[in-house]
Amino acid sequence: MSGWEYFQNNLFTLATMAVSFIIAGGIIAGAHRLLLGRKKNLEQARLFPRQLILLVVVLFCTIGVILVLPVSESARNQLIGLLGILLSGMIAFSSSSAMANLIAGFLLRITRPFRIGDFIRVQEHFGRVSEMGLFDTEIQSETRELIAVPNAVLVRNPVATTHSAGALISATLSLGYDLDHSRIETLLSKAAEQSGLKDPFVHIIELGNFAISYRVSGILEEVKGMITAKSRLHTAILDTLHGENIEIMSPSYMNQRRLADDQKAVPPSITIETPTAAPAAEEIIFDKAEEAERQETEKQTLQKRREDLELEAKEAVGDEKKKLKEQIQTISQNLDNLNKPDTEEP
């Protein structure tokens, strides 16, 4: 049989194969453009599901092309089996830690031990949650660094989350046995109140060989200002104790210069001009976490508002229903804008 005769006899089969390849390629290209083509800088939590959907589309298109190939049934089954072996090998040889982090990411979304904007401490890391991905959680530290903590670490280790209703701010210092503890407790409580803390209390945490260790604590209702609140507490303690002519040191203090018996190591009081109001330290340190929390709160508010309007729209009629639908459309557009990345391809 000549080549031309073979071509004529198998024209329908070749045309079917060509159409199948074109359709499969078009579906994959369209899915890629729809899911990823214009979605740059998406956060990991929204990017991974899109990639997973695209992978499923490619898999089904590949199986579809195999099914229309002009081969025997046994050869077709062998090709599908080979495809299954390749997928199994990819999963088997993939990193076990990646799978552990992925499963931990889903677990964190179910248990929700913290949310975006919360202060958390895990192992030696402390900061505010700025992003929650499927493989890792990003926290912004006190030094403004962005730390990616694997989700498996968050599941396997205790995570301390600052309560949103208020944080406990504490300071510890050592003072000599020559000072009456009741006086010190009163002054420390006064300093905590002056720093803006609520319901202050003082504990004696250690009776050392040379000094008594005190811990003063109070409730900070606005947890976003933890760092500034701790600094204000330290400042208030210095001002209060020095104002009472009390040295903040243990009796083992030694200096190379000789001090008179009646001389105290307390700096003289000075008056300085109050500087121009500056942004709170937390606004600078936790800028990304602050913005992420703001957007998350705004999304939840809009979603709740849209659900309420949808319920009202079901019972409304006429112009009222049309008006509600316009409001729902506006809210949906605002949600889409919040979910968009900062930059997209034109």
Side-chain angles (χ1 to χ4, degrees):
M1 181 183 296
S2 65
W4 174 250
E5 291 176 345
Y6 178 84
F7 176 77
Q8 286 180 324
N9 293 335
N10 296 277
L11 179 60
F12 179 76
T13 302
L14 295 174
T16 302
M17 288 180 54
V19 172
S20 300
F21 278 111
I22 293 173
I23 293 176
I27 293 175
I28 294 174
H32 183 275
R33 180 173 179 80
L34 179 64
L35 297 171
L36 302 176
R38 297 175 59 84
K39 307 297 181 181
K40 302 297 183 182
N41 298 333
L42 276 178
E43 63 182 45
Q44 189 183 73
R46 294 202 299 268
L47 180 60
F48 181 76
R50 295 172 183 269
Q51 294 173 332
L52 192 60
I53 294 173
L54 182 59
L55 178 61
V56 172
V57 171
V58 173
L59 180 61
F60 275 101
C61 289
T62 304
I63 294 176
V65 170
I66 292 176
L67 291 177
V68 301
L69 288 177
V71 295
S72 63
E73 187 70 21
S74 60
R76 187 178 293 113
N77 292 336
Q78 289 178 357
L79 289 174
I80 294 177
L82 178 61
L83 180 62
I85 292 174
L86 291 175
L87 290 175
S88 301
M90 291 173 58
I91 296 175
F93 288 103
S94 62
S95 174
S96 59
S97 61
M99 294 301 297
N101 288 325
L102 178 60
I103 296 173
F106 284 113
L107 182 60
L108 290 175
R109 277 160 174 73
I110 296 174
T111 58
R112 297 185 66 84
F114 51 81
R115 62 183 181 86
I116 291 178
D118 285 349
F119 282 92
I120 66 171
R121 183 185 300 278
V122 54
Q123 293 182 331
E124 71 276 10
H125 304 299
F126 173 77
R128 288 186 69 182
V129 179
S130 58
E131 184 176 334
M132 295 178 63
L134 289 177
F135 293 96
D136 57 57
T137 296
E138 183 183 82
I139 63 175
Q140 196 164 18
S141 70
E142 297 177 79
T143 56
R144 208 166 177 263
E145 297 175 330
L146 297 176
I147 304 173
V149 181
N151 287 331
V153 174
L154 297 173
V155 171
R156 294 170 182 168
N157 296 277
V159 178
T161 304
T162 301
H163 200 283
S164 58
L168 188 68
I169 304 299
S170 303
T172 303
L173 69 159
S174 298
L175 298 173
Y177 280 95
D178 57 324
L179 299 171
D180 183 78
H181 70 88
S182 59
R183 181 190 178 198
I184 298 301
E185 291 172 0
T186 301
L187 292 176
L188 291 179
S189 296
K190 177 182 176 182
E193 290 180 352
Q194 291 177 350
S195 69
L197 299 181
K198 184 180 178 181
D199 300 329
F201 56 91
V202 179
H203 285 154
I204 296 177
I205 59 176
E206 185 181 2
L207 299 178
N209 293 330
F210 304 101
I212 303 173
S213 295
Y214 298 87
R215 176 183 293 154
V216 55
S217 306
I219 301 297
L220 176 67
E221 295 181 332
E222 182 52 62
V223 297
K224 294 181 180 180
M226 287 180 60
I227 297 176
T228 300
K230 185 169 289 188
S231 176
R232 286 201 306 264
L233 176 59
H234 291 165
T235 301
I237 291 173
L238 287 172
D239 293 342
T240 301
L241 295 185
H242 285 169
E244 293 293 325
N245 205 34
I246 295 176
E247 296 176 325
I248 305 179
M249 64 182 72
S250 67
S252 60
Y253 173 78
M254 180 179 293
N255 200 327
Q256 293 297 326
R257 62 186 176 85
R258 185 175 182 82
L259 295 176
D261 293 338
D262 59 347
Q263 186 176 353
K264 299 289 185 179
V266 178
S269 299
I270 59 174
T271 302
I272 60 174
E273 183 179 352
T274 303
T276 305
E282 288 78 11
E283 295 180 9
I284 300 173
I285 297 173
F286 302 116
D287 56 339
K288 183 175 181 179
E290 188 76 22
E291 178 63 19
E293 183 186 27
R294 184 194 66 79
Q295 290 189 4
E296 188 69 19
T297 302
E298 188 174 353
K299 289 177 187 177
Q300 294 176 358
T301 302
L302 290 175
Q303 289 171 352
K304 180 64 169 60
R305 177 59 178 163
R306 183 172 63 180
E307 292 173 359
D308 293 340
L309 291 176
E310 288 175 347
L311 292 176
E312 295 180 15
K314 290 180 180 180
E315 301 177 356
V317 294
D319 294 339
E320 182 65 21
K321 186 169 187 177
K322 182 179 179 181
K323 182 179 179 181
L324 290 173
K325 286 185 176 181
E326 291 177 353
Q327 294 179 8
I328 293 172
Q329 186 177 2
T330 302
I331 292 176
S332 298
Q333 182 63 41
N334 292 336
L335 282 171
D336 290 340
N337 292 335
L338 287 174
N339 290 326
K340 283 182 180 179
D342 297 335
T343 59
E344 286 193 357
E345 289 182 353

